[in-house]
Amino acid sequence: MELIHTINKPEGYCGIIKERNILKSAGVGVWKPEYVEDLIKNLLELAKNFQGEDFAYIADPSKMSPILSKETSAAFTKLHSVLGKAGCKAVAFLDGNTAAMKLQSQKHQNLSEVKEMLVLHFKTEEEALNWLGEMGI
């Protein structure tokens, strides 16, 4: 799987999966609210490439530290809301091996204002891509 338009930062990266309307990001280490705000900005900029078509988002938090800060947690809740409002139809989390991350990402989705966006958790990227492919994305 090849990423295009990749944006690399010390705390992770984001980009578009080539030939798919799918954004992908991966985080590393301890995240701060400003990292999440920067990620939101970058994902929205990348989503412009889809020209209003349905898109999805794959997030890989498997190398991130647990989110302990209320401010960072609130920023991730905002990320869910912003993506949903921007037209994101589904989010696939690659955190199937980490129960704590799975619970945390589900909490952010539940607290977000967007309830119609589908969110599932997977162990592998291949599983996530297949699920999104079944949805036509």
Side-chain angles (χ1 to χ4, degrees):
M1 183 263 345
E2 182 181 346
L3 282 182
I4 58 173
H5 305 296
T6 307
I7 300 168
N8 292 298
K9 303 276 183 164
E11 64 274 5
Y13 67 85
C14 63
I16 298 173
I17 294 179
K18 187 175 181 177
E19 299 178 3
R20 303 280 298 266
N21 284 5
I22 301 173
L23 302 171
K24 181 181 180 196
S25 74
V28 178
V30 177
W31 270 53
K32 300 175 182 178
E34 56 267 26
Y35 297 172
V36 183
E37 289 295 331
D38 197 37
L39 177 62
I40 291 169
K41 178 183 68 101
N42 291 331
L43 291 174
L44 290 176
E45 188 63 32
L46 290 169
K48 290 178 183 177
N49 289 284
F50 306 140
Q51 301 177 3
E53 294 181 19
D54 289 350
F55 71 94
Y57 173 51
I58 295 177
D60 182 354
S62 61
K63 293 182 179 153
M64 288 175 59
S65 300
I67 299 162
L68 303 175
S69 154
K70 288 182 182 181
E71 294 82 8
T72 304
S73 187
F76 274 110
T77 298
K78 178 182 175 185
L79 178 131
H80 285 253
S81 295
V82 168
L83 285 179
K85 290 176 183 176
C88 183
K89 300 301 177 194
V91 177
F93 283 97
L94 304 181
D95 58 4
N97 292 325
T98 56
M101 274 299 182
K102 190 173 183 176
L103 288 172
Q104 210 160 41
S105 60
Q106 192 61 52
K107 175 184 143 189
H108 296 146
Q109 175 61 20
N110 292 342
L111 291 172
S112 76
E113 301 167 5
V114 181
K115 302 303 179 203
E116 61 275 356
M117 189 170 59
L118 299 174
V119 177
L120 284 179
H121 302 262
F122 299 91
K123 289 184 180 181
T124 68
E125 186 173 280
E126 182 180 351
E127 292 172 333
L129 290 170
N130 289 338
W131 174 65
L132 294 170
E134 290 169 7
M135 294 176 59
I137 299 175

